Amino acid sequence: MIPGYTSPSMQAAQRQAIPKLSLKHISKNFHTKTGKFNAVEDINLEVKAGEFICIVGPSGCGKTTVLNIIAGLEKPDGGDALVDGTPIKGPGTDRLVIFQDLALFPWLTVSKNVEFGLRLAGVSKKERQERAMHFLKMVHLTRFSNSCIHELSGGMKQRVALARALAINPDILLMDEPFAALDAQTRDILHEELQEIWVATKKTIIFVTHNVREAACLGDRVLVFATHPGRIKQQFQLMCTRPRHIEDPGLMVYAKAILAELKAEVEKVAKEELDYDWRTVTKKPVLRLDDRNLGSGT
Amino acid sequence: MIVTWEVAHRIGLWPKFLFPSPSEVLYTLVNGFHDKSFIIGIIASMRRIVIGYLISLVAGLALGLSFGRIKFLEETLGSLALGLQTLPSICWLPLALLWFGLNESAIIFVVIMGAFLSITIATESGVKNVPPLWLRAGRNMGAKGHRMLLEVIIPAALPSIIVGMKQGWSFAWRSLMAGELSYASVGLGHLLTLGRELNDMSQVLAVMIVIIIIGLLVDRIVFANLERGMRERWGLEQV
Ligand SMILES: Nc1ncnc2c1ncn2[C@@H]1O[C@H](COP(=O)(O)OP(=O)(O)O)[C@@H](O)[C@H]1O
Ligand SMILES: [Mg+2]
């Protein structure tokens, strides 16, 4: 625990017992040409305010679907999704998604992108600019405030997306494999900064990744999803101190356990999808230093 | 090239009245501006095209946006628009003459029919091709209704809309000239007809040059800048 810092989750627990977010028996079907497809089934989850949740799972197991349901962009077919005890009725700026492909607007400059949600909320121009500047400073991008989006590197775009979401001051940040396309060094830096920002802003974060070590590095809790249908297979509570670094030896034992769980799942998917002569012997899971990419994610 | 033309003319490669020398054309050009006949013609033509084009722009954007957003309209009227677009807009002239009589409205109507369908179709396809991800992001950040339209859909469709505006302009300009050649008492097209009737080839050429220059100016200055600004911002390939 960082000295002098009481986690928002502790404060919330003192205030009330209602979880920030709670999913009860959530299920979601998609109707495709080949019929009904059960994307997620019976998802149960309670998230405390200020908690940092990581979700790992094979691609296609419904991680994005769950984020979309929380964001109110997708309606569940069954179950209840509650924020602060009230049912989610639709999209709301208290829950912001950082999309896998970022969805920055190329017709706006960096600072105008960050101001976007504020403009919709009717915030005055002066305050908009101040707040955009504040959050651009937080992600160390003030020098590029007037740049066009296409002029930025991948890591810088991530920072803009983060600033754009933070500027709207959501309670919950939903991040969908945000760092998947970045190089390891840039990702390291962003891991560090994301933890700092999380501590400073006390957001509740739900972070989807297919990188087990990233999940172990960032999460208070890591959920491993199973597929067909998507559901929560296993949860890991991580007690490591923060700030954490992805190479911390203390994280390895968690990462290994998560990986073992995930690997069984990935191989199950492969067996279902690939020909029967695909190697059936499950080797002992090994953590390589390069990042394991378990599935492309969609 | 111009020198060759002048020399060929002087040594009499062709009968002088069929094809004038550059100096004669230049003289007519200067004279045309001096006695204001060209200026009056340009103003008359520009007035028609500006009115016609603005109406086309508003109607095309409105219709394109509704086609793009309302499936029912697209299914019923969308293919009609595509079909009508294949019709050269000057073919509307007889109809326009019957409806409006031989006056400004008839010619402006032809200009509108030239531009507005291109703008409609380009706007519709731009709106339909807005990546769903941007719509989701917009919704996520609190955009809906007309805010979504103004802040996300239209800007996202702008590249396609600009292409349609450019194409619409060139169709409008062509339609205007065709209309003026046949039925107008003033305007650049009329000056061409006049030149022909007076057998004044240098007037015909001088007016043609004016028409080319106006077309180029609008295309290279107005639309090229619009397109370049958009492409630079979006980081698209420059064409
Ligand atoms: N709009 C949709 N229509 C049909 N199928 C969908 C749709 N969205 C997602 N799916 C399917 O639902 C499953 C879960 O998708 P998703 O949540 O994107 O998985 P993940 O993010 O874990 O990779 C996938 O098999 C995907 O093909
Ligand atoms: Mg996904």
Short mmCIF file of all heavy atoms in Angstrom, two decimals, chain A residues 68 71-74 91-93 95-97 99 101-109 113 116-117 119-120 148-150 164 168, chain B residues 130 133-144 147-148 150-158 230-236:
data_model
loop_
_atom_site.label_atom_id
_atom_site.label_comp_id
_atom_site.label_asym_id
_atom_site.label_seq_id
_atom_site.Cartn_x
_atom_site.Cartn_y
_atom_site.Cartn_z
N ASN A 68 -19.28 -3.66 -23.16
CA ASN A 68 -20.36 -2.93 -23.83
C ASN A 68 -21.64 -2.94 -23.01
O ASN A 68 -22.39 -1.96 -23.00
CB ASN A 68 -20.62 -3.52 -25.21
CG ASN A 68 -19.60 -3.05 -26.22
OD1 ASN A 68 -19.02 -1.97 -26.08
ND2 ASN A 68 -19.35 -3.86 -27.23
N ALA A 71 -21.16 -0.48 -20.31
CA ALA A 71 -21.22 0.87 -20.87
C ALA A 71 -22.63 1.25 -21.28
O ALA A 71 -22.91 2.42 -21.53
CB ALA A 71 -20.29 0.97 -22.08
N GLY A 72 -23.52 0.27 -21.38
CA GLY A 72 -24.88 0.57 -21.80
C GLY A 72 -25.01 0.66 -23.31
O GLY A 72 -26.03 1.12 -23.83
N LEU A 73 -23.97 0.22 -24.01
CA LEU A 73 -24.02 0.27 -25.47
C LEU A 73 -24.68 -0.99 -26.03
O LEU A 73 -25.03 -1.06 -27.19
CB LEU A 73 -22.59 0.38 -26.03
CG LEU A 73 -21.87 1.68 -25.71
CD1 LEU A 73 -20.40 1.59 -26.05
CD2 LEU A 73 -22.51 2.84 -26.48
N GLU A 74 -24.82 -1.98 -25.16
CA GLU A 74 -25.42 -3.25 -25.57
C GLU A 74 -26.34 -3.66 -24.43
O GLU A 74 -26.00 -3.50 -23.27
CB GLU A 74 -24.29 -4.27 -25.73
CG GLU A 74 -24.57 -5.39 -26.66
CD GLU A 74 -23.92 -5.16 -28.02
OE1 GLU A 74 -22.68 -5.19 -28.14
OE2 GLU A 74 -24.68 -4.95 -28.97
N PRO A 91 -26.27 4.24 -22.39
CA PRO A 91 -24.94 4.83 -22.21
C PRO A 91 -25.00 5.98 -21.22
O PRO A 91 -26.01 6.67 -21.11
CB PRO A 91 -24.58 5.35 -23.61
CG PRO A 91 -25.65 4.91 -24.53
CD PRO A 91 -26.80 4.42 -23.74
N GLY A 92 -23.93 6.18 -20.49
CA GLY A 92 -23.86 7.30 -19.57
C GLY A 92 -22.42 7.72 -19.41
O GLY A 92 -21.52 6.88 -19.50
N THR A 93 -22.21 9.00 -19.18
CA THR A 93 -20.83 9.46 -19.12
C THR A 93 -20.17 9.13 -17.78
O THR A 93 -19.03 9.50 -17.55
CB THR A 93 -20.76 10.98 -19.38
OG1 THR A 93 -21.73 11.61 -18.54
CG2 THR A 93 -21.05 11.31 -20.81
N ARG A 95 -19.68 6.07 -17.18
CA ARG A 95 -18.96 4.85 -17.58
C ARG A 95 -18.39 5.06 -18.96
O ARG A 95 -19.13 5.10 -19.94
CB ARG A 95 -19.94 3.67 -17.65
CG ARG A 95 -20.49 3.18 -16.33
CD ARG A 95 -21.83 2.51 -16.53
NE ARG A 95 -22.90 3.49 -16.58
CZ ARG A 95 -23.85 3.49 -17.51
NH1 ARG A 95 -23.89 2.58 -18.44
NH2 ARG A 95 -24.78 4.43 -17.49
N LEU A 96 -17.10 5.25 -19.06
CA LEU A 96 -16.54 5.53 -20.38
C LEU A 96 -15.66 4.40 -20.86
O LEU A 96 -14.89 3.82 -20.11
CB LEU A 96 -15.74 6.83 -20.35
CG LEU A 96 -16.60 8.09 -20.40
CD1 LEU A 96 -15.73 9.31 -20.51
CD2 LEU A 96 -17.57 8.04 -21.57
N VAL A 97 -15.80 4.12 -22.14
CA VAL A 97 -15.02 3.05 -22.75
C VAL A 97 -13.80 3.64 -23.46
O VAL A 97 -13.92 4.66 -24.13
CB VAL A 97 -15.86 2.29 -23.80
CG1 VAL A 97 -15.11 1.05 -24.28
CG2 VAL A 97 -17.21 1.92 -23.25
N PHE A 99 -11.95 2.31 -26.32
CA PHE A 99 -12.17 1.22 -27.24
C PHE A 99 -10.84 0.61 -27.70
O PHE A 99 -9.81 1.29 -27.73
CB PHE A 99 -12.95 1.71 -28.46
CG PHE A 99 -14.36 2.11 -28.12
CD1 PHE A 99 -14.65 3.42 -27.76
CD2 PHE A 99 -15.38 1.20 -28.16
CE1 PHE A 99 -15.94 3.80 -27.44
CE2 PHE A 99 -16.68 1.56 -27.84
CZ PHE A 99 -16.96 2.86 -27.48
N ASP A 101 -9.91 -0.04 -30.63
CA ASP A 101 -9.32 0.73 -31.72
C ASP A 101 -9.39 2.23 -31.45
O ASP A 101 -9.33 3.03 -32.37
CB ASP A 101 -10.02 0.39 -33.04
CG ASP A 101 -9.80 -1.07 -33.40
OD1 ASP A 101 -8.65 -1.51 -33.32
OD2 ASP A 101 -10.78 -1.76 -33.72
N LEU A 102 -9.54 2.58 -30.20
CA LEU A 102 -9.47 3.95 -29.70
C LEU A 102 -10.62 4.86 -30.12
O LEU A 102 -11.15 5.59 -29.32
CB LEU A 102 -8.15 4.62 -30.08
CG LEU A 102 -6.92 3.91 -29.52
CD1 LEU A 102 -5.68 4.69 -29.90
CD2 LEU A 102 -7.01 3.76 -28.02
N ALA A 103 -10.97 4.81 -31.44
CA ALA A 103 -12.07 5.65 -31.90
C ALA A 103 -11.82 7.13 -31.64
O ALA A 103 -12.73 7.87 -31.31
CB ALA A 103 -13.40 5.21 -31.27
N LEU A 104 -10.57 7.55 -31.78
CA LEU A 104 -10.32 9.00 -31.77
C LEU A 104 -10.87 9.58 -33.06
O LEU A 104 -10.96 8.88 -34.07
CB LEU A 104 -8.82 9.27 -31.67
CG LEU A 104 -8.17 8.78 -30.38
CD1 LEU A 104 -6.66 8.94 -30.47
CD2 LEU A 104 -8.72 9.53 -29.18
N PHE A 105 -11.23 10.87 -33.03
CA PHE A 105 -11.84 11.47 -34.22
C PHE A 105 -10.78 12.20 -35.04
O PHE A 105 -10.23 13.20 -34.60
CB PHE A 105 -12.94 12.44 -33.79
CG PHE A 105 -14.07 11.78 -33.05
CD1 PHE A 105 -14.64 12.37 -31.94
CD2 PHE A 105 -14.57 10.55 -33.48
CE1 PHE A 105 -15.69 11.75 -31.27
CE2 PHE A 105 -15.62 9.93 -32.81
CZ PHE A 105 -16.18 10.53 -31.70
N PRO A 106 -10.52 11.73 -36.24
CA PRO A 106 -9.43 12.31 -37.03
C PRO A 106 -9.71 13.73 -37.51
O PRO A 106 -8.80 14.42 -37.92
CB PRO A 106 -9.29 11.35 -38.22
CG PRO A 106 -10.61 10.69 -38.34
CD PRO A 106 -11.16 10.61 -36.94
N TRP A 107 -10.98 14.16 -37.45
CA TRP A 107 -11.27 15.53 -37.91
C TRP A 107 -11.05 16.55 -36.80
O TRP A 107 -11.20 17.74 -37.03
CB TRP A 107 -12.70 15.63 -38.44
CG TRP A 107 -13.76 15.25 -37.48
CD1 TRP A 107 -14.39 16.06 -36.58
CD2 TRP A 107 -14.34 13.95 -37.29
NE1 TRP A 107 -15.30 15.35 -35.85
CE2 TRP A 107 -15.31 14.05 -36.26
CE3 TRP A 107 -14.13 12.71 -37.88
CZ2 TRP A 107 -16.06 12.96 -35.81
CZ3 TRP A 107 -14.87 11.63 -37.45
CH2 TRP A 107 -15.82 11.76 -36.43
N LEU A 108 -10.69 16.10 -35.63
CA LEU A 108 -10.44 17.02 -34.52
C LEU A 108 -8.97 16.94 -34.11
O LEU A 108 -8.35 15.89 -34.22
CB LEU A 108 -11.32 16.65 -33.31
CG LEU A 108 -12.83 16.72 -33.50
CD1 LEU A 108 -13.53 16.20 -32.25
CD2 LEU A 108 -13.28 18.14 -33.80
N THR A 109 -8.47 18.07 -33.62
CA THR A 109 -7.10 18.05 -33.08
C THR A 109 -7.10 17.29 -31.75
O THR A 109 -8.15 16.93 -31.23
CB THR A 109 -6.61 19.48 -32.79
OG1 THR A 109 -7.50 20.06 -31.83
CG2 THR A 109 -6.59 20.33 -34.04
N ASN A 113 -10.30 16.67 -29.42
CA ASN A 113 -10.75 15.32 -29.08
C ASN A 113 -11.00 15.21 -27.58
O ASN A 113 -12.00 14.65 -27.15
CB ASN A 113 -9.70 14.28 -29.50
CG ASN A 113 -10.02 13.63 -30.84
OD1 ASN A 113 -10.87 12.75 -30.92
ND2 ASN A 113 -9.34 14.08 -31.88
N PHE A 116 -14.12 16.82 -26.48
CA PHE A 116 -15.36 16.38 -27.14
C PHE A 116 -16.53 16.15 -26.18
O PHE A 116 -17.61 16.72 -26.34
CB PHE A 116 -15.09 15.11 -27.96
CG PHE A 116 -16.26 14.64 -28.75
CD1 PHE A 116 -16.50 15.16 -30.02
CD2 PHE A 116 -17.14 13.71 -28.25
CE1 PHE A 116 -17.59 14.74 -30.77
CE2 PHE A 116 -18.25 13.29 -28.98
CZ PHE A 116 -18.47 13.81 -30.23
N GLY A 117 -16.29 15.33 -25.18
CA GLY A 117 -17.38 15.01 -24.25
C GLY A 117 -17.83 16.22 -23.46
O GLY A 117 -19.00 16.36 -23.12
N ARG A 119 -17.80 19.31 -24.56
CA ARG A 119 -18.63 20.15 -25.41
C ARG A 119 -20.06 19.62 -25.44
O ARG A 119 -21.02 20.38 -25.38
CB ARG A 119 -18.03 20.23 -26.81
CG ARG A 119 -18.43 21.52 -27.49
CD ARG A 119 -17.72 21.77 -28.79
NE ARG A 119 -17.99 20.74 -29.75
CZ ARG A 119 -17.05 20.07 -30.39
NH1 ARG A 119 -15.79 20.34 -30.16
NH2 ARG A 119 -17.37 19.14 -31.25
N LEU A 120 -20.18 18.30 -25.53
CA LEU A 120 -21.53 17.72 -25.53
C LEU A 120 -22.25 18.00 -24.22
O LEU A 120 -23.46 18.18 -24.18
CB LEU A 120 -21.45 16.21 -25.74
CG LEU A 120 -21.08 15.75 -27.14
CD1 LEU A 120 -20.92 14.25 -27.15
CD2 LEU A 120 -22.12 16.18 -28.15
N CYS A 148 -2.66 16.93 -35.20
CA CYS A 148 -3.71 16.07 -35.72
C CYS A 148 -3.46 14.65 -35.22
O CYS A 148 -2.34 14.27 -34.93
CB CYS A 148 -3.70 16.08 -37.24
SG CYS A 148 -3.94 17.71 -37.93
N ILE A 149 -4.53 13.88 -35.15
CA ILE A 149 -4.44 12.53 -34.60
C ILE A 149 -3.45 11.66 -35.37
O ILE A 149 -2.66 10.92 -34.78
CB ILE A 149 -5.83 11.86 -34.59
CG1 ILE A 149 -6.78 12.65 -33.69
CG2 ILE A 149 -5.76 10.42 -34.14
CD1 ILE A 149 -6.32 12.80 -32.27
N HIS A 150 -3.46 11.78 -36.69
CA HIS A 150 -2.61 10.87 -37.47
C HIS A 150 -1.12 11.16 -37.31
O HIS A 150 -0.30 10.36 -37.72
CB HIS A 150 -3.01 10.94 -38.96
CG HIS A 150 -2.63 12.23 -39.61
ND1 HIS A 150 -1.46 12.41 -40.29
CD2 HIS A 150 -3.27 13.42 -39.66
CE1 HIS A 150 -1.41 13.65 -40.75
NE2 HIS A 150 -2.49 14.28 -40.37
N ARG A 164 -9.11 11.85 -23.08
CA ARG A 164 -10.47 12.15 -23.53
C ARG A 164 -11.50 11.54 -22.59
O ARG A 164 -12.51 12.16 -22.27
CB ARG A 164 -10.67 11.61 -24.96
CG ARG A 164 -12.05 11.90 -25.51
CD ARG A 164 -12.19 11.53 -26.96
NE ARG A 164 -12.31 10.10 -27.18
CZ ARG A 164 -12.66 9.55 -28.34
NH1 ARG A 164 -12.86 10.32 -29.40
NH2 ARG A 164 -12.76 8.26 -28.46
N ILE A 168 -14.01 13.67 -19.06
CA ILE A 168 -15.45 13.64 -18.81
C ILE A 168 -15.73 13.24 -17.36
O ILE A 168 -16.85 13.29 -16.89
CB ILE A 168 -16.13 12.69 -19.83
CG1 ILE A 168 -15.76 13.15 -21.24
CG2 ILE A 168 -17.63 12.66 -19.70
CD1 ILE A 168 -16.14 12.19 -22.33
N VAL B 130 -19.92 5.64 -42.21
CA VAL B 130 -19.28 6.08 -40.97
C VAL B 130 -19.02 4.83 -40.12
O VAL B 130 -19.92 4.05 -39.87
CB VAL B 130 -20.20 7.04 -40.19
CG1 VAL B 130 -19.60 7.35 -38.83
CG2 VAL B 130 -20.42 8.31 -40.98
N LEU B 133 -17.80 2.19 -34.96
CA LEU B 133 -17.01 2.47 -33.76
C LEU B 133 -17.10 3.94 -33.36
O LEU B 133 -17.20 4.28 -32.18
CB LEU B 133 -15.56 2.08 -34.01
CG LEU B 133 -14.64 2.21 -32.81
CD1 LEU B 133 -15.02 1.21 -31.73
CD2 LEU B 133 -13.19 2.00 -33.22
N TRP B 134 -17.08 4.84 -34.35
CA TRP B 134 -17.17 6.27 -34.04
C TRP B 134 -18.55 6.60 -33.48
O TRP B 134 -18.69 7.44 -32.59
CB TRP B 134 -16.89 7.11 -35.29
CG TRP B 134 -15.44 7.14 -35.63
CD1 TRP B 134 -14.40 6.80 -34.80
CD2 TRP B 134 -14.85 7.51 -36.88
NE1 TRP B 134 -13.21 6.95 -35.47
CE2 TRP B 134 -13.45 7.38 -36.73
CE3 TRP B 134 -15.36 7.95 -38.10
CZ2 TRP B 134 -12.56 7.66 -37.77
CZ3 TRP B 134 -14.49 8.24 -39.12
CH2 TRP B 134 -13.09 8.10 -38.97
N LEU B 135 -19.56 5.94 -34.01
CA LEU B 135 -20.91 6.17 -33.49
C LEU B 135 -21.00 5.70 -32.03
O LEU B 135 -21.59 6.36 -31.18
CB LEU B 135 -21.94 5.43 -34.34
CG LEU B 135 -22.00 5.83 -35.81
CD1 LEU B 135 -23.03 5.00 -36.55
CD2 LEU B 135 -22.34 7.31 -35.94
N ARG B 136 -20.38 4.54 -31.77
CA ARG B 136 -20.38 4.03 -30.40
C ARG B 136 -19.64 4.98 -29.48
O ARG B 136 -20.10 5.28 -28.39
CB ARG B 136 -19.63 2.69 -30.35
CG ARG B 136 -20.49 1.59 -30.75
CD ARG B 136 -19.75 0.28 -30.77
NE ARG B 136 -20.80 -0.69 -30.92
CZ ARG B 136 -21.04 -1.68 -30.08
NH1 ARG B 136 -20.23 -1.90 -29.08
NH2 ARG B 136 -22.06 -2.46 -30.25
N ALA B 137 -18.49 5.43 -29.94
CA ALA B 137 -17.70 6.35 -29.12
C ALA B 137 -18.51 7.60 -28.84
O ALA B 137 -18.53 8.11 -27.72
CB ALA B 137 -16.38 6.68 -29.81
N GLY B 138 -19.19 8.11 -29.87
CA GLY B 138 -20.01 9.29 -29.69
C GLY B 138 -21.12 9.05 -28.68
O GLY B 138 -21.33 9.85 -27.77
N ARG B 139 -21.80 7.91 -28.83
CA ARG B 139 -22.87 7.57 -27.91
C ARG B 139 -22.35 7.46 -26.49
O ARG B 139 -22.94 7.92 -25.54
CB ARG B 139 -23.48 6.22 -28.33
CG ARG B 139 -24.92 6.38 -28.64
CD ARG B 139 -25.65 5.30 -29.34
NE ARG B 139 -25.18 3.96 -29.36
CZ ARG B 139 -25.75 2.96 -28.65
NH1 ARG B 139 -26.74 3.22 -27.83
NH2 ARG B 139 -25.31 1.75 -28.79
N ASN B 140 -21.19 6.81 -26.39
CA ASN B 140 -20.57 6.61 -25.10
C ASN B 140 -20.27 7.94 -24.40
O ASN B 140 -20.38 8.06 -23.19
CB ASN B 140 -19.27 5.81 -25.32
CG ASN B 140 -18.63 5.39 -24.01
OD1 ASN B 140 -17.44 5.50 -23.85
ND2 ASN B 140 -19.43 4.92 -23.08
N MET B 141 -19.91 8.94 -25.20
CA MET B 141 -19.56 10.23 -24.59
C MET B 141 -20.75 11.17 -24.51
O MET B 141 -20.60 12.35 -24.25
CB MET B 141 -18.41 10.87 -25.37
CG MET B 141 -17.10 10.14 -25.10
SD MET B 141 -15.68 10.91 -25.88
CE MET B 141 -15.92 10.42 -27.54
N GLY B 142 -21.93 10.64 -24.76
CA GLY B 142 -23.13 11.42 -24.52
C GLY B 142 -23.75 12.07 -25.73
O GLY B 142 -24.60 12.95 -25.59
N ALA B 143 -23.35 11.66 -26.95
CA ALA B 143 -23.94 12.26 -28.14
C ALA B 143 -25.19 11.49 -28.54
O ALA B 143 -25.19 10.27 -28.53
CB ALA B 143 -22.95 12.24 -29.29
N LYS B 144 -26.26 12.23 -28.82
CA LYS B 144 -27.40 11.60 -29.46
C LYS B 144 -28.16 12.65 -30.25
O LYS B 144 -27.89 13.83 -30.16
CB LYS B 144 -28.29 10.88 -28.45
CG LYS B 144 -28.63 11.68 -27.22
CD LYS B 144 -29.46 10.80 -26.27
CE LYS B 144 -29.79 11.53 -25.02
NZ LYS B 144 -29.33 10.91 -23.80
N ARG B 147 -27.05 16.28 -32.00
CA ARG B 147 -25.64 16.46 -31.64
C ARG B 147 -24.79 15.37 -32.31
O ARG B 147 -23.70 15.63 -32.80
CB ARG B 147 -25.45 16.40 -30.12
CG ARG B 147 -26.15 17.49 -29.35
CD ARG B 147 -25.74 18.89 -29.79
NE ARG B 147 -24.34 19.23 -29.56
CZ ARG B 147 -23.88 19.72 -28.42
NH1 ARG B 147 -24.67 19.90 -27.40
NH2 ARG B 147 -22.60 20.03 -28.31
N MET B 148 -25.30 14.15 -32.29
CA MET B 148 -24.61 13.06 -32.95
C MET B 148 -24.42 13.37 -34.44
O MET B 148 -23.34 13.19 -34.99
CB MET B 148 -25.43 11.78 -32.77
CG MET B 148 -24.80 10.56 -33.39
SD MET B 148 -23.33 10.07 -32.51
CE MET B 148 -23.91 8.57 -31.79
N LEU B 150 -24.40 16.35 -35.93
CA LEU B 150 -23.51 17.47 -36.19
C LEU B 150 -22.08 17.20 -35.76
O LEU B 150 -21.14 17.64 -36.42
CB LEU B 150 -24.02 18.72 -35.45
CG LEU B 150 -25.31 19.31 -35.98
CD1 LEU B 150 -25.75 20.49 -35.13
CD2 LEU B 150 -25.13 19.75 -37.42
N GLU B 151 -21.92 16.49 -34.65
CA GLU B 151 -20.56 16.37 -34.09
C GLU B 151 -19.85 15.11 -34.56
O GLU B 151 -18.63 15.03 -34.50
CB GLU B 151 -20.62 16.33 -32.56
CG GLU B 151 -21.46 17.41 -31.92
CD GLU B 151 -20.67 18.69 -31.67
OE1 GLU B 151 -19.46 18.68 -31.89
OE2 GLU B 151 -21.29 19.67 -31.25
N VAL B 152 -20.60 14.10 -34.96
CA VAL B 152 -19.94 12.86 -35.36
C VAL B 152 -20.24 12.49 -36.81
O VAL B 152 -19.32 12.36 -37.62
CB VAL B 152 -20.34 11.68 -34.44
CG1 VAL B 152 -19.60 10.42 -34.85
CG2 VAL B 152 -20.04 12.00 -32.98
N ILE B 153 -21.52 12.36 -37.14
CA ILE B 153 -21.85 11.78 -38.45
C ILE B 153 -21.40 12.67 -39.60
O ILE B 153 -20.72 12.22 -40.52
CB ILE B 153 -23.37 11.50 -38.53
CG1 ILE B 153 -23.71 10.41 -37.51
CG2 ILE B 153 -23.76 11.05 -39.92
CD1 ILE B 153 -25.18 10.16 -37.34
N ILE B 154 -21.75 13.96 -39.55
CA ILE B 154 -21.37 14.83 -40.65
C ILE B 154 -19.85 14.99 -40.77
O ILE B 154 -19.30 14.81 -41.86
CB ILE B 154 -22.10 16.20 -40.56
CG1 ILE B 154 -23.60 15.98 -40.79
CG2 ILE B 154 -21.54 17.18 -41.59
CD1 ILE B 154 -24.43 17.22 -40.70
N PRO B 155 -19.14 15.28 -39.68
CA PRO B 155 -17.68 15.34 -39.84
C PRO B 155 -17.08 14.04 -40.35
O PRO B 155 -16.17 14.06 -41.18
CB PRO B 155 -17.17 15.63 -38.42
CG PRO B 155 -18.32 16.11 -37.66
CD PRO B 155 -19.56 15.60 -38.31
N ALA B 156 -17.62 12.92 -39.89
CA ALA B 156 -17.06 11.65 -40.33
C ALA B 156 -17.36 11.39 -41.80
O ALA B 156 -16.57 10.74 -42.49
CB ALA B 156 -17.62 10.51 -39.47
N ALA B 157 -18.47 11.92 -42.28
CA ALA B 157 -18.84 11.70 -43.68
C ALA B 157 -18.24 12.76 -44.60
O ALA B 157 -18.38 12.69 -45.82
CB ALA B 157 -20.36 11.69 -43.83
N LEU B 158 -17.55 13.74 -44.02
CA LEU B 158 -17.10 14.89 -44.80
C LEU B 158 -16.22 14.54 -46.01
O LEU B 158 -16.41 15.12 -47.08
CB LEU B 158 -16.38 15.89 -43.89
CG LEU B 158 -16.40 17.32 -44.41
CD1 LEU B 158 -17.82 17.79 -44.62
CD2 LEU B 158 -15.69 18.25 -43.46
N MET B 230 -8.90 19.06 -45.57
CA MET B 230 -9.49 17.87 -44.95
C MET B 230 -8.47 16.74 -44.94
O MET B 230 -8.30 16.06 -43.93
CB MET B 230 -10.74 17.50 -45.73
CG MET B 230 -11.51 16.33 -45.21
SD MET B 230 -10.93 14.78 -45.88
CE MET B 230 -11.33 14.99 -47.60
N ARG B 231 -7.80 16.53 -46.06
CA ARG B 231 -6.86 15.40 -46.14
C ARG B 231 -5.70 15.57 -45.18
O ARG B 231 -5.23 14.61 -44.58
CB ARG B 231 -6.35 15.24 -47.57
CG ARG B 231 -7.41 14.63 -48.44
CD ARG B 231 -6.95 14.41 -49.86
NE ARG B 231 -7.96 13.62 -50.53
CZ ARG B 231 -8.01 12.30 -50.49
NH1 ARG B 231 -7.07 11.63 -49.86
NH2 ARG B 231 -8.98 11.65 -51.08
N GLU B 232 -5.23 16.82 -45.04
CA GLU B 232 -4.12 17.04 -44.12
C GLU B 232 -4.53 16.70 -42.69
O GLU B 232 -3.81 16.06 -41.95
CB GLU B 232 -3.65 18.49 -44.19
CG GLU B 232 -2.49 18.66 -45.16
CD GLU B 232 -2.22 20.11 -45.47
OE1 GLU B 232 -2.61 20.99 -44.67
OE2 GLU B 232 -1.60 20.36 -46.53
N ARG B 233 -5.72 17.15 -42.35
CA ARG B 233 -6.20 16.92 -40.99
C ARG B 233 -6.38 15.43 -40.71
O ARG B 233 -6.00 14.93 -39.67
CB ARG B 233 -7.51 17.67 -40.81
CG ARG B 233 -8.16 17.34 -39.51
CD ARG B 233 -8.90 18.51 -38.99
NE ARG B 233 -8.01 19.51 -38.45
CZ ARG B 233 -8.40 20.44 -37.59
NH1 ARG B 233 -9.63 20.47 -37.19
NH2 ARG B 233 -7.56 21.33 -37.13
N TRP B 234 -6.98 14.76 -41.66
CA TRP B 234 -7.26 13.33 -41.45
C TRP B 234 -6.01 12.48 -41.64
O TRP B 234 -5.99 11.31 -41.27
CB TRP B 234 -8.31 12.84 -42.46
CG TRP B 234 -9.71 13.23 -42.14
CD1 TRP B 234 -10.19 14.49 -42.00
CD2 TRP B 234 -10.81 12.35 -41.94
NE1 TRP B 234 -11.53 14.45 -41.73
CE2 TRP B 234 -11.94 13.15 -41.69
CE3 TRP B 234 -10.96 10.96 -41.96
CZ2 TRP B 234 -13.20 12.61 -41.44
CZ3 TRP B 234 -12.21 10.43 -41.73
CH2 TRP B 234 -13.31 11.25 -41.47
N GLY B 235 -5.00 13.04 -42.30
CA GLY B 235 -3.82 12.25 -42.60
C GLY B 235 -4.06 11.27 -43.73
O GLY B 235 -3.49 10.19 -43.76
N LEU B 236 -4.90 11.68 -44.68
CA LEU B 236 -5.12 10.82 -45.83
C LEU B 236 -4.08 11.14 -46.89
O LEU B 236 -3.45 12.18 -46.86
CB LEU B 236 -6.52 11.06 -46.42
CG LEU B 236 -7.68 10.80 -45.47
CD1 LEU B 236 -8.98 11.26 -46.11
CD2 LEU B 236 -7.76 9.33 -45.12
#
